[in-house]
Amino acid sequence: MAQCLRNHGYALAEPTVSATGVATWSGGDSGAARFKNAMRAVGFKFCGSQIEALPSQAINPPPTPAELHNLVLFAQCMRSHGISDWPDPHADGTFPIPARVQALGKLGIMSQLRACRKYTGEHGIAVSPGSVPSKSGKASG
């Protein structure tokens, strides 16, 4: 996968992969950011077969300490802008969205999302599995 991303213009070193399948990119936070940028730009479009052969932890690495810090700041910002029950992120960078906030829908919190987007950059946020309503309308998890 790293070679495929390099073939499409991204300067990436080979990752170090732990026994649990988590990839660590050389260069610390900047290496992880380069990988995430490459994945967004060319990932599945050009390197799909290589990506599908990997464990999910290698494709979606946990947030860097800096990214997690920004997500905590994002949560504080959302609370200070009127969503008092907005949760802090999990260690994997996802948010366990409460049912009341889910019921508001994206349009119901759009002004807060705009006010706080400086903490998420272009990535947006990820919702924790189980926070998304199932087909029955009830949150799973």
Side-chain angles (χ1 to χ4, degrees):
M1 179 190 67
Q3 182 60 52
C4 181
L5 294 172
R6 283 193 296 269
N7 290 345
H8 289 91
Y10 288 86
L12 296 171
E14 289 296 318
T16 301
V17 181
S18 73
T20 60
V22 175
T24 303
W25 299 87
S26 64
D29 287 354
S30 65
R34 279 193 306 274
F35 167 72
K36 289 178 182 181
N37 288 338
M39 286 295 293
R40 273 193 302 281
V42 301
F44 280 100
K45 184 175 181 181
F46 296 107
C47 305
S49 61
Q50 294 90 340
I51 293 168
E52 289 175 4
L54 298 171
S56 64
Q57 306 92 304
I59 301 165
N60 298 308
T64 65
E67 290 169 334
L68 192 56
H69 176 72
N70 278 341
L71 292 175
V72 170
L73 294 175
F74 171 81
Q76 292 170 350
C77 181
M78 291 293 284
R79 291 190 292 265
S80 73
H81 282 85
I83 309 293
S84 61
D85 53 344
W86 189 271
D88 281 331
H90 287 300
D92 68 358
T94 62
F95 289 92
I97 306 299
R100 185 194 75 77
V101 176
Q102 288 180 40
L104 294 173
K106 189 173 181 178
L107 291 177
I109 61 172
M110 189 57 70
S111 65
Q112 291 88 350
L113 290 170
R114 283 188 189 120
C116 301
R117 73 176 162 211
K118 65 184 172 190
Y119 299 111
T120 62
E122 62 190 49
H123 313 301
I125 62 165
V127 175
S128 298
S131 293
V132 179
S134 66
K135 290 182 182 180
S136 68
K138 296 180 181 176
S140 58

